[in-house]
Amino acid sequence: MSTLRFHAIKESLAYRPVKIVEEERRSELFGQNVFNLNAMRQYLTNDAFLGVKNAIQFGKKIDRNIADQVASSMKDWALSKHVTHYTHWFQPLTGATAEKHDAFFETIGDDLSIEKFGGSQLVQQEPDASSFPHGGIRNTFEARGYTAWDPTSPAFIYGTTLCIPTIFVAYTGEALDYKTPLLRALSAVDEAATAVCKYFDKNVKKVTSSLGWEQEYFLIDKMLAASRPDIMLTGRTLLGHSSAKGQQLDDHYFGSIPSRALNFMKDLEKECMLLGIPVKTRHNEVAPNQFEVAPIFEEANLAVDHNSLLMDIMGRVAARHNFKVLLHEKPFAGVNGSGKHNNWSLSTDTGVNLLAPGKTPMSSLQFLTFFINTIKAVHKHEALLRAVIASASNDHRLGANEAPPAIISVFIGEQLKKVLEELEGVTKGKLSPKEKTELKLNVVGKIPDVLLDNTDRNRTSPFAFTGNKFEFRAVGSMANCGNPMTVLNTIVAKQLKDFKKEVDALIDKKDLKKDEAVFNVLREYIKSTKDILFEGNSYGEAWEAEAKKRGLSNSKTTPEALKAQISKESIALFEEMNVMSAIETKARYEIEIESYIMHIQIESRVLADIARNHIVPTAVKYQNVLIENVKGLKDIFEKKYLNVSKEQITLIEEISNHIEGINSNVTKMVDERRSANKLTVMDKRAEAYSQKVMPLFDDIRYHCDKLELLVDDEIWPLTKYRELLFTR
């Protein structure tokens, strides 16, 4: 292994960057490989174009004749770009994307053949669904599952394949993917938000949820990564002593991008432009060899598709540049992990961002309505929001270095907090003309000015208002954005629905005017949501104690957090909003619990293998060198040898202690794993892995990392942190 390590270092240092030539403007490249509205205008008949456009904008169904026309035109467009196959591209509950390629090629007899693609093939397919996670929705022998075309997300070409974004459902209709519940949640928030918008603008007919994700990642030389079994099999380093230099000097953050990494970024961005992914920002992140890519905001469903596609593309492009992309939330101990901040907002079809105040008191009141209702939704469902970002990998990141803690709180800034405090004093019931004027001019009317100075300085907040959007920072870098976006849009939809009922009741029963009713309801929401607002440092025991007083949940592990997903309240919420049935909600819980167990189980096996088959033999080998040295000193110095060999003897003893520590803890870990595997109830098994197996990882790592500092560098088998993080 040490030979492999030094060979990998030599190869990485000798690597010559791939030159990327950027001849075309980004605007010219953008969407070239996407069957977007521009391409549709060229290839579709007018009826077909209007049919697809109505499906995208208003959710209207596309009849079979239109589907046939769309399929034929899509095929002609794809063939003009030398495409040979098509696939229904979907996002099963594995966390990855899935596709099965079929050729356009068909035989028609008499040794003749044609390229064929019809409406039935566009609209629906039946892939073998038996091996995808289903959480007990159907038996393994009931393999049928269906993919169905989602016209709101345009088809695209990747390589020589036409990819058609689809939903994925079971034979009995239950969702088996991330997209289906997301589409339902987006429909729910559209309906609820549009109804509330009509208090302020009768012309609003549709509200769209927007998302801008920020994808953080590490770039590691492919050869160096291949020399680490833990990176290759788990996506992170299970052991390794911290490099003397890490991120202490803050010299990587926003620094000059290394040329090799920059070439990778240019190549990635070109691929993104062709696929219509509007990436705009690139920069160094805090940790060495950590970077970020971020796009322009898009409609949430399309943004989720684009992020899933991006994660796949990143791996393929990285291979061309001899890199391996690490999307794990915490691939290296002691330096920042990676997140995927989800920047979320709501916009009307009249062009108004509902989380950005306008120039009039009325538009600012509309802003306050959606702003406060979002805070209310987060306060009411904070445990569910924690559950939706829970995973074995994200558990390592939450609360570490600069990442948000596991406690969900909302940061809004001191200025907006003062605005809410003033609104809290609104008179109950009818407002006097003077109070109305003062509220609109002196409080609500000043919000645009307040927001100009509302700089977000709290980087540890998991859910922060950042000027014209909320930023859900606790989402992990490997996560499918569909999951948090489904929950966030669902809880906001439910809250807006309840808000409208309360306002309408005050208007109808208390004879209040619309503005008075809105102010009265918002006042009560402000009073009841104070516990979720936090402007201070979200780290440490002080905040944990304070959060406990406030009644906020603090689930530090995935098995703890996921329980909120199947609470009576959560199941009722998803059913009421027609986002997921009880069966679908419970199935997702089962899938995520099992995924947690599998991840910890794999890491446990890999760690045991590396510790016993790589670290211990290397330590013994070096210990034998020391023993031979001591024997030689004894031959030379005879009785005086103890004086000249005491350091070697101490080292031999230290190595023996660490070897014993490794072997005893690996044995304990294997025994605990076996005990956990005997538990038939998945919840109990997950808890056993979390509470009994996982803690032994740290004990094993401690001894391995100590040996790394004691054993001769020339024979150490694993590529070290200093080499992984600082080889450019």
Side-chain angles (χ1 to χ4, degrees):
M1 279 298 293
S2 61
T3 305
L4 177 59
R5 172 190 162 204
F6 289 114
H7 174 72
I9 294 170
K10 183 179 178 181
E11 287 290 314
S12 66
L13 292 174
Y15 179 77
R16 292 291 174 265
V18 176
K19 289 185 178 180
I20 303 299
V21 179
E22 296 183 288
E23 294 178 339
E24 295 178 87
R25 293 182 180 180
R26 297 290 173 93
S27 57
E28 294 170 349
L29 287 173
F30 189 72
Q32 280 189 15
N33 288 346
V34 181
F35 196 62
N36 50 26
L37 290 176
N38 187 42
M40 288 181 198
R41 284 191 185 93
Q42 297 177 47
Y43 281 86
L44 295 181
T45 63
N46 192 50
D47 287 344
F49 178 75
L50 290 175
V52 175
K53 197 172 179 183
N54 284 332
I56 294 170
Q57 293 181 345
F58 307 112
K60 293 185 178 180
K61 289 186 177 180
I62 296 175
D63 66 39
R64 183 47 61 94
N65 289 333
I66 295 295
D68 284 335
Q69 290 181 50
V70 173
S72 178
S73 299
M74 197 181 285
K75 179 200 69 179
D76 291 342
W77 171 77
L79 291 176
S80 73
K81 292 179 174 288
H82 312 293
V83 167
T84 58
H85 289 68
Y86 67 91
T87 183
H88 275 200
W89 182 83
F90 58 102
Q91 299 166 54
L93 299 172
T94 58
T97 58
E99 53 197 67
K100 182 185 76 171
H101 297 194
D102 286 304
F104 288 123
F105 169 82
E106 294 274 357
T107 57
I108 56 175
D110 298 326
D111 295 327
L112 298 174
S113 61
I114 58 170
E115 269 72 32
K116 185 179 179 183
F117 184 60
S120 59
Q121 294 160 305
L122 167 65
V123 172
Q124 181 176 300
Q125 277 195 320
E126 184 186 328
D128 179 2
S130 59
S131 294
F132 287 113
H134 54 77
I137 284 178
R138 76 272 190 277
N139 295 312
T140 301
F141 64 82
E142 294 173 319
R144 274 190 292 176
Y146 293 101
T147 50
W149 176 36
D150 171 21
T152 63
S153 184
F156 58 90
I157 293 168
Y158 196 68
T160 58
T161 304
L162 173 67
C163 301
I164 302 158
T166 59
I167 62 169
F168 180 46
V169 296
Y171 172 64
T172 46
E174 291 88 1
L176 295 172
D177 65 345
Y178 289 112
K179 181 183 275 276
T180 306
L182 174 63
L183 291 173
R184 295 170 184 164
L186 295 177
S187 176
V189 82
D190 171 22
E191 182 180 346
T194 300
V196 172
C197 278
K198 290 191 181 295
Y199 286 140
F200 309 98
D201 184 355
K202 298 288 186 184
N203 296 316
V204 174
K205 295 184 176 65
K206 184 176 178 62
V207 172
T208 303
S209 170
S210 62
L211 167 65
W213 39 261
E214 301 169 27
Q215 182 70 59
E216 294 178 343
Y217 61 97
F218 281 84
L219 275 183
I220 304 300
D221 184 275
K222 187 166 68 174
M223 290 294 292
L224 298 182
S227 70
R228 294 279 309 219
D230 47 358
I231 289 179
M232 297 306 291
L233 295 176
T234 71
R236 75 178 181 106
T237 55
L238 296 173
L239 47 83
H241 200 280
S242 296
S243 170
K245 181 181 185 294
Q247 63 187 49
Q248 309 98 308
L249 301 178
D250 294 325
D251 54 346
H252 189 256
Y253 191 52
F254 278 26
S256 176
I257 301 173
S259 59
R260 188 175 163 194
L262 185 59
N263 284 343
F264 159 79
M265 292 176 181
K266 289 177 181 178
D267 202 359
L268 174 66
E269 290 166 4
K270 183 177 180 181
E271 293 281 0
C272 288
M273 287 298 107
L274 291 169
L275 292 165
I277 305 174
V279 293
K280 186 175 178 67
T281 302
R282 64 189 183 206
H283 63 83
N284 289 0
E285 258 300 333
V286 175
N289 277 353
Q290 187 187 32
F291 307 94
E292 180 179 296
V293 58
I296 296 169
F297 280 61
E298 298 180 283
E299 187 274 319
N301 178 42
L302 185 56
V304 169
D305 280 1
H306 279 166
N307 182 250
S308 297
L309 180 57
L310 174 101
M311 290 191 288
D312 183 35
I313 297 169
M314 288 175 86
R316 301 189 194 195
V317 174
R320 295 203 290 259
H321 294 261
N322 266 37
F323 277 128
K324 182 173 178 64
V325 171
L326 301 185
L327 293 174
H328 193 286
E329 281 80 2
K330 197 73 175 176
F332 301 101
V335 297
N336 271 25
S338 297
K340 178 151 45 195
H341 297 182
N342 277 209
N343 295 279
W344 170 88
S345 190
L346 295 171
S347 301
T348 69
D349 58 342
T350 57
V352 175
N353 178 352
L354 295 171
L355 289 175
K359 296 178 180 178
T360 65
M362 181 59 75
S363 61
S364 289
L365 180 57
Q366 179 176 259
F367 155 74
L368 279 172
T369 297
F370 285 90
F371 175 70
I372 294 169
N373 270 283
T374 301
I375 294 171
K376 177 75 171 174
V378 173
H379 182 239
K380 195 181 293 185
H381 301 284
E382 48 89 16
L384 181 57
L385 276 179
R386 167 66 181 97
V388 83
I389 49 94
S391 69
S393 53
N394 207 23
D395 281 357
H396 294 286
R397 166 180 166 259
L398 295 177
N401 295 81
E402 291 184 5
I407 303 166
I408 300 296
S409 63
V410 179
F411 172 88
I412 61 171
E414 288 295 336
Q415 294 91 340
L416 275 172
K417 192 176 179 183
K418 288 176 183 175
V419 170
L420 297 192
E421 288 170 354
E422 291 190 61
L423 286 174
E424 191 182 343
V426 171
T427 303
K428 188 173 182 179
K430 293 187 177 183
L431 307 179
S432 67
K434 182 183 178 183
E435 188 172 15
K436 278 187 181 181
T437 302
E438 286 180 350
L439 272 173
K440 289 185 177 179
L441 295 182
N442 298 334
V443 180
V444 178
K446 289 184 178 179
I447 287 176
D449 297 327
V450 166
L451 285 184
L452 288 175
D453 299 320
N454 188 37
T455 304
D456 171 24
R457 301 182 187 280
N458 190 335
R459 304 305 299 170
T460 65
S461 173
F463 199 88
F465 184 70
T466 54
N468 59 1
K469 62 190 183 298
F470 279 99
E471 187 175 1
F472 192 11
R473 294 185 180 137
V475 181
S477 52
M478 282 206 300
N480 184 302
C481 295
N483 224 7
M485 283 297 101
T486 295
V487 169
L488 182 54
N489 283 289
T490 300
I491 64 175
V492 171
K494 165 63 174 166
Q495 179 52 46
L496 290 171
K497 184 179 174 183
D498 292 346
F499 170 77
K500 188 172 188 304
K501 284 181 183 176
E502 291 184 55
V503 171
D504 287 348
L506 290 179
I507 293 171
D508 296 338
K509 296 176 183 177
K510 300 291 184 180
D511 196 28
L512 297 184
K513 292 184 178 179
K514 178 189 66 181
D515 288 5
E516 291 172 329
V518 169
F519 275 124
N520 270 262
V521 175
L522 292 182
R523 180 195 62 230
E524 297 306 311
Y525 285 178
I526 292 167
K527 289 179 179 179
S528 65
T529 58
K530 288 181 178 180
D531 287 338
I532 201 71
L533 300 178
F534 185 65
E535 310 300 310
N537 187 351
S538 298
Y539 284 112
E541 294 179 2
W543 167 230
E544 289 194 18
E546 173 65 21
K548 188 175 182 180
K549 286 181 186 176
R550 297 183 182 199
L552 302 178
S553 63
N554 183 13
S555 300
K556 295 187 177 181
T557 67
T558 293
E560 286 180 68
L562 287 178
K563 291 175 184 176
Q565 194 172 319
I566 51 168
S567 67
K568 289 181 181 178
E569 294 79 11
S570 295
I571 290 172
L573 165 73
F574 289 127
E575 286 192 312
E576 180 187 341
M577 303 310 295
N578 295 314
V579 171
M580 285 189 286
S581 66
I583 291 173
E584 289 171 323
T585 302
K586 290 174 183 176
R588 275 164 168 69
Y589 172 78
E590 292 292 332
I591 290 166
E592 289 175 30
I593 278 287
E594 186 175 15
S595 174
Y596 176 84
I597 293 168
M598 292 297 105
H599 275 91
I600 306 303
Q601 186 182 87
I602 290 168
E603 288 188 350
S604 169
R605 288 173 172 168
V606 172
L607 180 57
D609 171 44
I610 295 174
R612 278 188 165 158
N613 295 335
H614 299 264
I615 304 303
V616 169
T618 303
V620 170
K621 184 177 180 180
Y622 183 59
Q623 192 179 47
N624 287 336
V625 171
L626 294 173
I627 291 169
E628 289 301 315
N629 177 259
V630 172
K631 286 179 179 178
L633 291 173
K634 186 177 182 182
D635 290 341
I636 296 170
F637 294 100
E638 296 181 346
K639 293 181 181 179
K640 295 180 181 178
Y641 88 96
L642 287 174
N643 291 329
V644 295
S645 64
K646 61 183 179 182
E647 296 298 333
Q648 291 91 321
I649 292 171
T650 300
L651 199 51
I652 290 167
E653 188 177 357
E654 283 186 49
I655 290 171
S656 291
N657 290 336
H658 290 307
I659 289 172
E660 192 280 329
I662 291 170
N663 281 324
S664 62
N665 281 298
V666 167
T667 299
K668 286 179 191 175
M669 182 178 69
V670 172
D671 288 343
E672 291 292 356
R673 197 173 69 218
R674 285 173 179 159
S675 298
N677 290 339
K678 290 177 183 177
L679 299 172
T680 55
V681 179
M682 297 297 280
D683 305 40
K684 298 295 182 184
R685 189 184 299 178
E687 287 173 9
Y689 267 95
S690 172
Q691 297 168 14
K692 300 292 181 66
V693 179
M694 274 282 289
L696 292 164
F697 283 25
D698 291 337
D699 295 332
I700 295 166
R701 179 172 192 152
Y702 169 80
H703 293 290
C704 291
D705 290 356
K706 286 295 183 182
L707 284 173
E708 184 180 328
L709 295 180
L710 299 177
V711 172
D712 183 1
D713 183 67
E714 286 293 318
I715 64 171
W716 189 254
L718 300 179
T719 305
K720 298 187 176 185
Y721 268 34
R722 67 168 185 261
E723 296 151 355
L724 291 167
L725 291 172
F726 290 96
T727 300
R728 300 292 189 227

